[in-house]
Amino acid sequence: MLGVGLLTGAVTGSWLAGDSGDEGARSAYTEAGEMWHSVPVDQLFPRTVQGQGAGPGGADRAWTRVAVAPDSDCAGAFDRLLAKVLEPVGCSRLLRATYTDATQSYVTTVGLLFTKADAAAMTSLAGRFEKEGLGRRDDLMPLPYAAKDTVAEGFGAGQRGSWTVSVLTDAPVVVYAVSGWADGRTVDEPEPAAEATESGATSAPAQAGLGHEAQGLADRVERALRKNVGPATEHPS
């Protein structure tokens, strides 16, 4: 379990939606930023995740959690350039878990970076990612979490095949995922999930479905995050 004094149940109210007035919105935003120590790990990173239609061609996927990293600060958790890009929003806490697919062919690390930023700073960072295409730069890939004695033990920086980074604007959270093969093979040309999931993509990560692995898990962990704040925060994806 993450943090101390874990609470049961979801945070009541809405997440910048459904409350009247700025005070309610600020309160919901603040509560969302404190979820790293107020929600059980199994709710943020479920032991099993069902991905109906999440695979290539709309195929179903299922993932099993193989490891949860101790909650930590962000020291050494990102490559230097990505750490620099994320620096303006700060780091309150970083939560990470690694999953494998039903065939144990792929491994994917999903991360929740809880920042110290207000809504304006998060909106600014999200705008920069969109305008400058930062989410597609392979020098800004997140690092995986490789746990010993698991199928992900050999999942290092050189094994990263596809990734996605989502900067939320209605909560102080950055959601990311990075995927690779479980056999530890290196990837010479990783591809962002946004490109690897496009119809007709022919790269090795795209053909293997690594983009769908990263995007599918990131989407569902984000849904779990929102679900624990309140039904009004859930966005279809």
Side-chain angles (χ1 to χ4, degrees):
M1 302 185 78
L2 304 176
V4 294
L6 298 179
L7 305 180
T8 59
V11 179
T12 58
S14 63
W15 187 351
L16 296 186
D19 285 334
S20 58
D22 292 339
E23 184 176 348
R26 284 195 297 270
S27 176
Y29 186 94
T30 300
E31 289 176 346
E34 296 174 349
M35 287 177 59
W36 66 269
H37 65 74
S38 66
V39 176
V41 62
D42 285 349
Q43 293 182 25
L44 293 175
F45 297 124
R47 293 180 183 272
T48 58
V49 177
Q50 298 300 319
Q52 185 174 4
D60 293 342
R61 280 287 191 268
W63 299 281
T64 300
R65 195 183 73 202
V66 297
V68 177
D71 62 292
S72 66
D73 58 25
C74 292
F78 300 107
D79 284 337
R80 182 180 59 83
L81 285 179
L82 181 55
K84 184 176 181 180
V85 168
L86 296 172
E87 186 176 7
V89 295
C91 174
S92 178
R93 215 65 180 169
L94 177 64
L95 311 183
R96 294 169 292 169
T98 297
Y99 288 80
T100 189
D101 70 304
T103 67
Q104 296 194 351
S105 299
Y106 314 112
V107 284
T108 303
T109 293
V110 188
L112 295 172
L113 166 58
F114 288 81
T115 77
K116 299 178 180 180
D118 59 17
M122 293 299 290
T123 299
S124 176
L125 181 62
R128 186 183 176 196
F129 263 79
E130 178 68 23
K131 182 178 180 180
E132 300 179 24
L134 301 185
R136 296 173 181 263
R137 285 178 45 172
D138 61 11
D139 58 349
L140 295 176
M141 279 191 294
L143 287 170
Y145 173 64
K148 291 184 178 180
D149 301 320
T150 73
V151 67
E153 185 170 10
F155 189 22
Q159 285 69 43
R160 294 175 291 183
S162 190
W163 75 98
T164 182
V165 179
S166 177
V167 181
L168 305 188
T169 57
D170 53 357
V173 182
V174 177
V175 183
Y176 68 85
V178 57
S179 61
W181 279 278
D183 61 9
R185 76 183 76 173
T186 58
V187 181
D188 294 330
E189 297 184 9
E191 186 172 39
E195 296 176 5
T197 56
E198 290 180 352
S199 177
T202 59
S203 69
Q207 292 291 304
L210 290 179
H212 289 82
E213 297 292 308
Q215 192 65 63
L217 266 169
D219 287 346
R220 283 151 183 81
V221 166
E222 181 179 334
R223 291 179 192 177
L225 180 76
R226 294 181 182 281
K227 183 177 180 180
N228 280 285
V229 178
T233 72
E234 295 183 50
H235 293 179
S237 59

